[in-house]
Amino acid sequence: MRMHKGCSASGLDGVVAAETDLSEVDGEAGRLVIGGYEVEALTGSVTFEDVCALLWDGALPDEAGKKSMQQALAAGRDRAAKLLPDLGNALALPDGMDALRAAMAHLVPPPDAVNASIVGAAAVFAAAWARHQTGQPAVAPDPSLSLAADYLRMVRGTPAPAPLAAGMDAYLVTVSDHGLNASTFAARVVTSTGSDAVSSVVAGIGALKGPLHGGAPGPVLDMLDAVGSPEHAMAWIEGELRAGRRIMGMGHRIYRVRDPRAAVLERAATALEAAGHTTPHLALARAVERVAESALAAKYPDRPLRANVEFYTSVLLDAVGLPRALFSPTFAVARAAGWCAHIEEQRAVGKLIRPASRYVGEPAAKV
Ligand code: COA
């Protein structure tokens, strides 16, 4: 169990500023630090299991710690698989995030294995939903595998080649945590009331679902398909902007430069190519990014709108073989690791989060 150093809620003119020692997002410099490590250093060097240990226990694990995290997450997947027959119609819901939200709401984790149960269940339920959508039965988890490899296997029905599992792992590590983003904040608000971790995670899933947060990677791939080829990119992007629509995968509330995770995921996709796997959208994505960046710069000269994490998420998750409808639920699998860490941190604060509102309505009338 991690001992949180700096976490407290400090009052600033009635505003509560949350402190966290889990991750730091520097929007000006384009820097993301997770558990004390730059995201560039983590991705490709450590596993998702390692990052779970980093976030939940406060340090990268030694060999024994790696084994115990791997076993804990495998046990979480096993418990979730046993729950599959009792999820009502959750997995029949057509939207993957609706399905995951409904499925996760059924979870009652053992008190000594809450985090691993939540993350393991998210992986099992998301994979089972994807298979249900194509009329295939769920695949039982394999406790000998990493979560990344087992997730791909549970989606595909056959073991994934090692480079694809490595690409999946790189994705899960990269998006495991990201400061006080909307879904993490939602989860922390629920925890701050004294509520339980599953309720908090369900709130996080609800917030993550929106296209302005975690719902963008599928639409990014739709955009790449609609563009078709680099020479059509400018006309397509300009048409979207003229129609008042947003370019998915571009812009960020915090980053004023390119999202550092875009580079990390682009690198992971490039590594797949180097290992002999096709990355059908990588070259087109690079071309569309350049065009979108310049078109957005022309339209919003004072507001840098650069590629965000979702841009190359779409390329990488497509290349590892996930259907695009599963992109957002897969984001939730990874981010559940961060949510769980933030939930524990918030619980250690022990204070209700209650943002103030400023009343701008009519003065009170006499009845
Ligand atoms: N495409 C076109 N215009 C965009 C844009 C995009 N991707 N992102 C921002 N803008 C424009 C807005 O239309 C707005 O213009 P206006 O002032 O003329 O209305 C201006 O830039 C500021 O946008 P705003 O929504 O206030 O900025 P924000 O910080 O709240 O936006 C996002 C952050 C992520 C919500 C936004 O960039 C976006 O919608 N991106 C596309 C969706 C996406 O990729 N989501 C995943 C995020 S990780």
Side-chain angles (χ1 to χ4, degrees):
M1 168 82 159
R2 184 184 184 115
M3 295 302 292
H4 292 285
K5 287 193 281 291
C7 60
S8 67
S10 52
L12 301 167
D13 298 332
V15 176
V16 174
E19 295 178 351
T20 181
D21 57 14
L22 294 167
S23 57
E24 185 191 8
V25 183
D26 181 339
E28 297 299 325
R31 187 164 166 263
L32 168 61
V33 173
I34 301 174
Y37 297 88
E38 307 269 358
V39 68
E40 293 84 355
L42 289 176
T43 303
S45 306
V46 306
T47 65
F48 181 61
E49 277 76 1
D50 294 340
V51 166
C52 288
L54 179 62
L55 288 168
W56 302 343
D57 305 331
L60 287 172
D62 57 15
E63 279 313 311
K66 279 173 186 288
K67 196 162 174 222
S68 102
M69 183 57 73
Q70 206 267 336
Q71 287 170 344
L73 287 170
R77 298 199 296 280
D78 183 53
R79 276 190 294 275
K82 295 197 168 85
L83 202 59
L84 282 172
D86 303 320
L87 297 180
N89 74 340
L91 300 185
L93 294 170
D95 181 280
M97 291 299 271
D98 291 346
L100 188 61
R101 189 191 58 217
M104 291 299 283
H106 286 75
L107 205 62
V108 183
D112 60 345
V114 173
N115 295 353
S117 297
I118 286 173
V119 172
V124 168
F125 296 162
W129 172 80
R131 290 186 64 80
H132 191 277
Q133 292 304 300
T134 53
Q136 300 176 88
V139 173
D142 180 344
S144 71
L145 295 177
S146 70
L147 187 137
D150 204 20
Y151 182 57
L152 276 186
R153 186 188 137 275
M154 289 188 290
V155 173
R156 294 157 50 102
T158 53
L164 297 189
M168 186 72 245
D169 215 7
Y171 172 74
L172 297 175
V173 167
T174 304
V175 304
S176 57
D177 197 42
H178 198 244
L180 206 61
N181 57 85
S183 58
T184 299
F185 182 60
R188 287 187 76 134
V189 168
V190 174
T191 298
S192 83
T193 69
S195 187
D196 65 290
V198 172
S199 299
S200 306
V201 164
V202 168
I205 293 170
L208 189 71
K209 177 187 172 189
L212 302 189
H213 188 9
V220 170
L221 210 58
D222 295 340
M223 168 179 75
L224 296 176
D225 285 343
V227 169
S229 63
E231 60 276 17
H232 295 133
M234 187 53 92
W236 194 90
I237 297 278
E238 285 180 346
E240 289 295 288
L241 292 179
R242 260 197 312 278
R245 286 190 285 271
R246 294 187 177 211
I247 309 305
M248 290 292 122
M250 301 297 293
H252 197 273
R253 173 58 67 83
I254 304 293
Y255 292 118
R256 290 293 162 262
V257 293
R258 195 175 190 239
D259 186 331
R261 298 165 299 174
V264 167
L265 297 178
E266 186 184 1
R267 191 178 72 193
T270 310
L272 272 186
E273 254 184 5
H277 289 272
T278 49
T279 52
H281 290 86
L282 181 57
L284 179 60
R286 286 178 170 140
V288 172
E289 182 193 356
R290 275 195 301 277
V291 168
E293 196 180 307
S294 75
L296 286 165
K299 184 165 181 190
Y300 301 100
D302 300 328
R303 184 182 177 85
L305 293 169
R306 310 276 311 270
N308 64 46
V309 64
E310 310 293 22
F311 209 91
Y312 288 95
T313 288
S314 70
V315 174
L316 180 60
L317 294 188
D318 176 56
V320 302
L322 295 187
R324 68 190 74 187
L326 195 54
F327 290 179
S328 294
T330 304
F331 191 173
V333 172
R335 185 53 59 81
W339 290 334
C340 288
H342 279 269
I343 287 165
E344 287 186 338
E345 193 180 49
Q346 186 61 44
R347 192 155 286 132
V349 174
K351 284 268 187 206
L352 177 70
I353 296 175
R354 174 63 164 92
S357 56
R358 197 159 52 82
Y359 180 67
V360 294
E362 299 296 324
K366 288 207 165 66
V367 181

